[in-house]
Amino acid sequence: MRDLATEPKKAYRHLGSENGQAFIGLVADFRAAIFAGDVPMGPISATRVEDGFVLDWFVSSGCTLKTVIDARGAGDEAWKDSHRIQLKALTIGGEVLA
């Protein structure tokens, strides 16, 4: 995941032009945001797991990005105050790329 997020050419090659460009754009939004809640559009879903959240983000049609956020605090929106978003996996057309 790190290579795809840091090397646009690799992202385009592995994900295709449309998905690669959208993925790089989303990662840029993550970098620009101070808190996870500052990312434009927000996640498609947020699920609490143990001490954090699993968030799914829309990348492009048929492509989503799964992330994990450590979040302390009560409530279903505690993830919004997190500073760090960990990229876990991309799903393209039902196929998971880790």
Side-chain angles (χ1 to χ4, degrees), residues 43-86:
I44 298 169
S45 66
T47 307
R48 184 176 277 284
V49 290
E50 298 176 16
D51 291 336
F53 288 85
V54 173
L55 304 173
D56 291 319
W57 302 84
F58 175 83
V59 175
S60 64
S61 180
C63 183
T64 58
L65 173 64
K66 184 175 294 296
T67 63
V68 175
I69 292 180
D70 289 332
R72 307 290 185 250
D76 291 338
E77 299 201 356
W79 63 269
K80 289 183 177 183
D81 295 327
S82 180
H83 294 279
R84 186 177 174 118
I85 301 172
Q86 183 180 19

Side-chain angles (χ1 to χ4, degrees), residues 4-6 8 20-34 38-40 65 85 87:
L4 295 178
T6 58
Q21 185 174 10
F23 173 72
I24 293 300
L26 180 58
V27 170
D29 288 343
F30 290 162
R31 288 186 179 130
I34 294 172
D38 295 338
V39 177
L65 173 64
I85 301 172
L87 309 179

Side-chain angles (χ1 to χ4, degrees), residues 2-22:
R2 180 180 296 270
D3 287 347
L4 295 178
T6 58
E7 298 178 33
K9 288 181 182 179
K10 189 174 276 191
Y12 296 146
R13 188 171 45 250
H14 282 44
L15 306 176
S17 179
E18 179 184 346
N19 291 333
Q21 185 174 10

